[in-house]
Amino acid sequence: MASKAIMEKSDLKIEDDRTGLESETIQRAFLDNLFYVQGKRPENATKNDLYLAISYTIRDRIMHRWLNSNKYYTDNDARAVGYLSAEFLMGPQLGNNLINLGLFDQMGKIFDSFGLDINEILDQEEEPGLGNGGLGRLAACFLDSMATLNIPSVGYGIRYEFGIFDQEIRDGWQVEITDKWLKFGNPWEIPRNEASVEVKFGGHTGVYHDEEGNHRVAWHPDQVVLAIPYDTLILGYLTDNTAVLRLWKSEASESFYFQEYNRGNYYGAVEEKVTSENITKVLYPNDEQESGKTLRLMQQYFFVSATLQDTIRFHCKVRKHSLEIFHEKITLQLNDTHPAIAVAEMMRLLIDEHLMDWDKAWYVTTNTFGYTNHTLLPEALETWPVAKMEHTLPRLMEIILEINHHFLEEVRQKFPNDAARITRMSIIGEGGVRHVRMAHLAIVGSYAVNGVAQLHTELLTSKVLVNFFEMWPEKFSNKTNGITPRRWLLLNNPSLAELINSKIGIDWAIDLYELKKLEQYIENETFQKQWQKAKHAAKDRLAKKIKKNLGIDVDPKTLFDIQVKRIHEYKRQHLNVLHIITLYNRIKANPAIDIVPRTFIFGGKAAPAYHMAKLIIKLINAVGDVVNHDPDVDGRIKVVFIPDYNVKNSQEVYPAADLSEQISTAGKEASGTGNMKFTMNGALTIGTMDGANIEIREEVGEENFFLFGLNAQEVFDLKSGFYDTIAIYHENEALKQCLDMISSGHFSPDQPDRFQSLVDALKYHDPYLLLADYQSYIDCQDRVSECFRDQVKWTKMSILNTARCGKFSSDRTIKEYCEEIWKVNPVKVEIPAYDPKNIENVAFENQ
Ligand code: 26Q
């Protein structure tokens, strides 16, 4: 055996240099990678070379954990989870991996000894922005928790070449720049060409009879695309288990176009190559469904088909099981409807390719999938025109129709003589162009359906999906979202984490309810002072960054009032702006007024085609221009828009917040997860009774939460009656003044009617009820200011917010998914580290 000879001769000290955790070993490995991987000596290495060398050093330390985990899970035939998501918003990897390996501080010291600042090296990393917002980040937090909790798990998604666009602000407007995150290479991913699969598109189907005379369908596609998996290792926190993120990249399938090529159609073949490679080129930057783009449908089917083929291969070839027990060994969670075509694709694979009969295949399919819904906006529910589906995925459309046929039969049996119900529940919507309702397909094909916060689930089961709830109440449950405390507190907020650790140790990083122990120090003045100091340190860090990047002076002693999230009318950034203008007007009316100085900080991207959202960004900046430069204001209010808000930039934001703005119209925000990030970092929330705000308030205590506005029921009632916006406008003088100023061009003298459409939308329609909630919001903000004057009181409230955020760890969420939906148990990896010199262990198998 050649491998044996190589190993006997070599004296590579592989174990030491690749896995060792001693500082000296790490230093040696780092210099080795710099020299042999980057091809640089220290004296001419760029910061990026250093970043890559250290990343490879860390990756080596993850590798044996990963290979061990895989082998252990396979040997133990452990039940596993596949998390299917069109988005994974992972954020920078190096810092997180250092934290999870327990090496962060040690690495800081090593870099110190080299005369380098580790933060500058960490800052080199371009984050993979493979998501839009909450849904994508949730998937990333879930991977961290699954790995930490020793759950055998794989995240499946798309390796977009260009992630969410980089945002620049020019003259107050958003400008989108292509995100070239792969420009300098990605040290965290490993391509697995050998595990590539083919995915079909277009063409037509035909009927044939197999050898036994069975009626079968064959799909004759006109395009076949190669799906190549790229694996990223996901470390758990202080555990040897790992998870993996497997992202698919599309390439041309040479063999399929070979004939074309041989017929002399060279350009035709190359053209196909281009279309094939386009599939995973770019992430759609909308956080709701846009009128059906074929390429988006192709993206969804592409990664779903590749994923199912991969799991089936693993189940049958690696684990050597029969497909009939697929659902016993693997469960697949659908992150919203983006991968919902999986229900039909699973049927296709089982029936057409693995020759299972319909009923058996349906049993396996409907015991495999779980579906998570993330929205309440009816206009955001995903649908695809039947004609488009037929053209792009002809076989899938046939299967969907057959699923629907069986399903509607079941509905008829349960609810006889109820034609209206059939119409409401059908997977095919008939109004206008016939369309496939992906949420219906997902529910019909899944054994479990869940919402992401209590209120959200209640509204789903009582309104949006009530017919399905009546049909299968047992399928439905709530799984309130969570966030990983490793990234969102331990990594991002070192000053606060250090203080917490000095008091109660660090067990909170794996059991967030441990933070409760902080409550015993609440009256301790020294502790209060230390808490303020930590908060101040974080505010100072953000202030310096703002000064450096935007040239704006902000005073860390002012109240930092922050709203960071996607820009959307329902999230009501413009309500926040109305408050700023109200304060501004109070100052203008009485420049000597005693107000609590505030720094208003915004961040977030608008979907490129969402004009109102882009206008809101311009409005924020326009108001900032006026307010920030008015001598009467005298620095007492400042408005800052942080460009290009993303996971990396958010690191400095959450720790620096005094006040968290969670002001969506009640009943519109499914959960929110930014709200949890603020709470965990000791910010107080001003918020509506929406999404997880309700649960946050319940946990931290209503006296530690600033509640305002209509609740979901009141919103519903108001909208079902006559909502008289004009009356509110005329009756509320301060509000009228704000709106009149905006429409008169006070903030846009160069083009006075610039914001007219925005004001008109509020005055004459106001679907998100800003006018209805305005006064309640302003009154609540006044209470916030009064409270902030009492720094001791504020600090105690801040401590309690952190101390009581235990519920919002994604570890809690994942445990609930595991116990109540997935029925997957933790498997603690227990095999010795890989020793390449132990020849007895080496067995090469062809797989
Ligand atoms: C769909 C079809 C075509 C193109 C794009 C899309 C698309 C892409 C992204 C639709 C929706 C999204 C993202 C939705 C999202 O982020 N939802 C948020 O999910 C969070 C996690 O559950 C919740 O906390 C938020 O309340 C919810 O808005």
Side-chain angles (χ1 to χ4, degrees):
M1 217 200 275
S3 56
K4 186 164 178 167
I6 292 168
M7 283 169 188
E8 276 170 348
K9 283 196 183 123
S10 65
D11 186 22
L12 295 171
K13 294 208 173 119
I14 288 173
E15 190 197 22
D16 276 342
D17 275 10
R18 300 233 178 195
T19 62
L21 299 176
E22 297 287 326
S23 289
E24 204 176 302
T25 319
I26 292 176
Q27 282 186 35
R28 198 169 55 233
F30 164 65
L31 291 171
D32 192 79
N33 279 322
L34 187 62
F35 194 89
Y36 286 104
V37 181
Q38 288 310 108
K40 288 285 180 80
R41 293 179 185 283
E43 59 270 26
N44 48 20
T46 64
K47 273 190 195 138
N48 201 56
D49 291 324
L50 301 178
Y51 158 71
L52 287 170
I54 200 65
S55 296
Y56 287 119
T57 307
I58 294 307
R59 194 179 92 172
D60 286 343
R61 276 144 190 80
I62 309 174
M63 194 66 76
H64 70 285
R65 289 177 169 77
W66 185 46
L67 297 175
N68 280 350
S69 297
N70 279 353
K71 178 162 165 44
Y72 198 79
Y73 296 152
T74 306
D75 290 352
N76 287 273
D77 199 20
R79 179 166 161 87
V81 189
Y83 195 83
L84 273 63
S85 179
E87 309 192 355
F88 285 90
L89 203 43
M90 299 298 289
Q93 294 298 288
L94 178 56
N96 201 244
N97 284 334
L98 287 172
I99 286 281
N100 282 3
L101 278 173
L103 284 180
F104 195 90
D105 294 338
Q106 193 183 338
M107 195 59 86
K109 288 188 189 123
I110 293 174
F111 273 78
D112 267 355
S113 75
F114 289 150
L116 295 165
D117 178 357
I118 184 139
N119 290 310
E120 280 184 34
I121 306 301
L122 293 174
D123 204 37
Q124 287 300 305
E125 185 169 353
E126 281 258 8
E127 80 171 72
L130 309 187
N132 274 284
L135 168 147
R137 181 56 228 179
L138 185 75
C141 283
F142 280 4
L143 286 181
D144 185 272
S145 284
M146 289 192 285
T148 299
L149 293 169
N150 306 319
I151 303 299
S153 49
V154 186
Y156 279 106
I158 301 172
R159 183 182 177 276
Y160 302 103
E161 187 176 335
F162 306 119
I164 185 78
F165 61 85
D166 293 337
Q167 179 195 55
E168 281 186 12
I169 301 295
R170 295 193 197 145
D171 189 28
W173 294 100
Q174 164 174 300
V175 176
E176 299 92 24
I177 314 283
T178 311
D179 160 56
K180 304 208 172 108
W181 71 286
L182 288 165
K183 193 169 44 186
F184 295 116
N186 173 9
W188 304 106
E189 66 181 10
I190 302 171
R192 299 286 189 198
N193 291 66
E194 75 285 3
S196 300
V197 296
E198 293 192 334
V199 179
K200 305 179 224 192
F201 292 98
H204 60 277
T205 63
V207 174
Y208 71 98
H209 291 91
D210 65 15
E211 289 115 57
E212 282 125 52
N214 297 308
H215 173 105
R216 302 259 169 224
V217 180
W219 179 3
H220 308 285
D222 59 20
Q223 193 184 355
V224 173
V225 177
L226 204 58
I228 302 173
Y230 283 66
D231 289 349
T232 298
L233 316 183
I234 310 293
L235 268 182
Y237 176 69
L238 304 186
T239 173
D240 285 340
N241 292 57
T242 62
V244 60
L245 173 59
R246 174 160 277 195
L247 300 179
W248 300 96
K249 175 183 194 279
S250 64
E251 277 188 15
S253 159
E254 308 269 335
S255 59
F256 187 74
Y257 302 107
F258 189 64
Q259 288 180 349
E260 194 76 1
Y261 184 78
N262 273 356
R263 270 194 258 117
N265 188 358
Y266 178 74
Y267 285 103
V270 172
E271 213 169 282
E272 286 294 347
K273 184 171 159 66
V274 173
T275 8
S276 300
E277 288 178 356
N278 274 346
I279 293 175
T280 56
K281 218 17 110 186
V282 60
L283 168 80
Y284 278 85
N286 316 307
D287 55 359
E288 60 183 81
Q289 154 99 346
E290 229 198 346
S291 64
K293 298 270 193 301
T294 305
L295 189 64
R296 166 78 186 187
L297 180 61
M298 291 173 79
Q299 287 186 338
Q300 296 185 350
Y301 179 67
F302 169 78
F303 100 88
V304 162
S305 178
T307 298
L308 295 184
Q309 292 183 57
D310 196 51
T311 52
I312 288 175
R313 178 195 57 86
F314 184 72
H315 178 81
C316 298
K317 295 277 164 56
V318 180
R319 297 216 183 166
K320 305 191 168 55
H321 285 306
S322 146
L323 264 181
E324 289 177 24
I325 60 159
F326 182 84
H327 57 285
E328 292 175 18
K329 298 295 174 187
I330 297 175
T331 184
L332 301 174
Q333 191 68 24
L334 307 174
N335 197 20
D336 215 307
T337 52
H338 316 154
I341 191 73
V343 171
E345 174 65 0
M346 188 74 189
M347 288 301 285
R348 187 191 72 81
L349 290 168
L350 295 180
I351 294 168
D352 294 357
E353 313 234 333
H354 297 274
L355 311 182
M356 203 182 268
D357 70 47
W358 180 277
D359 291 340
K360 257 190 199 151
W362 187 241
Y363 181 81
V364 170
T365 300
T366 50
N367 283 288
T368 294
F369 294 106
Y371 157 58
T372 306
N373 175 290
H374 295 264
T375 187
L376 276 163
L377 307 177
E379 69 273 19
L381 290 176
E382 198 176 5
T383 63
W384 291 100
V386 168
K388 188 179 292 284
M389 187 75 82
E390 240 157 20
H391 184 254
T392 312
L393 305 170
R395 180 60 183 138
L396 281 292
M397 191 63 238
E398 290 174 0
I399 291 174
I400 290 170
L401 291 176
E402 186 150 353
I403 291 173
N404 198 36
H405 176 79
H406 289 271
F407 163 60
L408 293 181
E409 203 43 55
E410 209 181 326
V411 180
R412 270 185 212 104
Q413 292 206 351
K414 186 145 184 172
F415 304 96
N417 306 316
D418 192 347
R421 184 181 292 267
I422 298 286
T423 310
R424 289 197 303 272
M425 294 185 78
S426 175
I427 297 172
I428 307 299
E430 306 281 350
V433 279
R434 292 181 82 211
H435 51 277
V436 183
R437 296 159 161 168
M438 300 308 278
H440 294 204
L441 178 63
I443 298 168
V444 172
S446 295
Y447 68 89
V449 179
N450 73 283
V452 290
Q454 258 160 35
L455 174 71
H456 174 231
T457 303
E458 274 163 38
L459 293 172
L460 282 181
T461 53
S462 67
K463 291 190 166 38
V464 191
L465 303 176
V466 61
N467 298 298
F468 290 93
F469 181 66
E470 284 165 3
M471 177 109 187
W472 296 303
E474 68 288 350
K475 276 194 190 184
F476 288 77
S477 74
N478 176 247
K479 297 287 167 285
T480 298
N481 285 164
I483 58 171
T484 168
R486 272 76 64 183
R487 178 179 289 271
W488 297 108
L489 184 53
L490 187 55
L491 173 63
N492 289 0
N493 198 344
S495 44
L496 196 65
E498 205 176 302
L499 172 60
I500 294 171
N501 297 346
S502 74
K503 290 293 179 192
I504 63 167
I506 199 175
D507 287 353
W508 59 267
I510 46 166
D511 176 8
L512 201 62
Y513 287 109
E514 281 282 308
L515 290 176
K516 270 238 138 32
K517 291 184 176 162
L518 290 172
E519 286 193 37
Q520 63 188 293
Y521 304 103
I522 193 99
E523 298 297 338
N524 179 325
E525 280 176 33
T526 324
F527 184 65
Q528 292 168 3
K529 285 267 167 335
Q530 290 170 319
W531 192 268
Q532 288 168 349
K533 208 172 140 206
K535 181 57 81 180
H536 193 275
K539 290 168 79 175
D540 205 46
R541 242 185 302 148
L542 181 61
K544 291 209 166 78
K545 182 103 180 241
I546 289 172
K547 176 69 182 165
K548 180 165 166 250
N549 292 344
L550 304 173
I552 304 176
D553 284 300
V554 303
D555 180 355
K557 287 198 286 300
T558 61
L559 191 167
F560 275 21
D561 176 337
I562 309 189
Q563 186 170 21
V564 284
K565 49 181 77 244
R566 289 299 288 252
I567 313 293
H568 225 292
E569 287 165 281
Y570 86 78
K571 295 177 189 278
R572 301 200 295 193
Q573 280 90 356
H574 44 342
L575 180 59
N576 190 339
V577 173
L578 291 180
H579 173 235
I580 299 173
I581 301 175
T582 304
L583 287 184
Y584 175 65
N585 289 339
R586 287 183 191 168
I587 293 177
K588 293 304 280 183
N590 172 14
I593 194 175
D594 177 23
I595 69 155
V596 172
R598 287 203 199 205
T599 303
F600 293 91
I601 297 169
F602 292 85
K605 295 174 184 176
Y610 188 174
H611 298 292
M612 190 59 83
K614 291 177 124 174
L615 196 57
I616 291 173
I617 293 179
K618 175 68 179 171
L619 179 66
I620 294 167
N621 287 308
V623 171
D625 273 347
V626 170
V627 168
N628 294 355
H629 299 114
D630 190 317
D632 284 344
V633 174
D634 195 21
R636 285 175 291 173
I637 42 183
K638 281 265 166 76
V639 181
V640 179
F641 190 96
I642 298 180
D644 202 34
Y645 179 70
N646 58 19
V647 176
K648 186 171 165 182
N649 294 331
S650 78
Q651 277 183 213
E652 277 120 0
V653 174
Y654 292 107
D658 293 308
L659 188 65
S660 153
E661 297 271 354
Q662 306 301 334
I663 61 178
S664 52
T665 318
K668 299 291 179 196
E669 189 70 89
S671 160
T673 43
N675 45 7
M676 302 168 186
K677 292 161 198 167
F678 281 110
T679 303
M680 198 176 279
N681 284 277
L684 310 193
T685 304
I686 182 165
T688 47
M689 281 293 222
D690 202 14
N693 295 353
I694 297 174
E695 290 156 76
I696 290 176
R697 177 166 171 268
E698 195 172 295
E699 292 295 306
V700 305
E702 55 184 72
E703 65 288 2
N704 300 304
F705 185 104
F706 295 99
L707 177 70
F708 78 97
L710 302 174
N711 64 30
Q713 185 61 48
E714 291 162 342
V715 166
F716 183 77
D717 293 344
L718 183 56
K719 294 195 88 161
S720 28
F722 172 55
Y723 172 38
D724 192 350
T725 49
I726 297 295
I728 302 177
Y729 166 79
H730 284 294
E731 280 158 27
N732 191 320
E733 218 160 295
L735 169 63
K736 180 170 183 302
Q737 193 188 355
C738 293
L739 293 175
D740 290 350
M741 280 167 80
I742 301 173
S743 52
S744 73
H746 192 96
F747 304 104
S748 53
D750 59 319
Q751 189 195 323
D753 67 349
R754 175 169 297 134
F755 300 114
Q756 196 57 50
S757 60
L758 191 151
V759 175
D760 286 348
L762 297 179
K763 261 167 81 171
Y764 304 114
H765 188 38
D766 196 19
Y768 300 107
L769 306 186
L770 278 78
L771 272 53
D773 276 346
Y774 170 82
Q775 196 55 52
S776 167
Y777 181 54
I778 299 295
D779 294 343
C780 191
Q781 287 286 18
D782 289 340
R783 295 201 298 280
V784 169
S785 289
E786 280 321 300
C787 184
F788 195 71
R789 287 183 198 273
D790 184 345
Q791 277 293 298
V792 172
K793 179 164 174 230
W794 185 279
T795 303
K796 286 189 203 169
M797 289 166 78
S798 164
I799 295 169
L800 287 177
N801 266 262
T802 301
R804 296 175 178 174
C805 74
K807 177 175 175 185
F808 304 105
S809 167
S810 46
D811 296 348
R812 188 267 314 148
T813 314
I814 286 298
K815 278 184 203 148
E816 289 179 8
Y817 275 95
C818 285
E819 285 162 19
E820 296 161 23
I821 296 183
W822 300 336
K823 313 287 180 205
V824 170
N825 295 315
V827 178
K828 183 94 183 98
V829 169
E830 277 168 19
I831 37 181
Y834 174 57
D835 177 2
K837 289 196 191 155
N838 182 355
I839 307 288
E840 302 313 310
N841 275 345
V842 178
F844 291 96
E845 277 177 56
N846 280 330
Q847 287 187 353

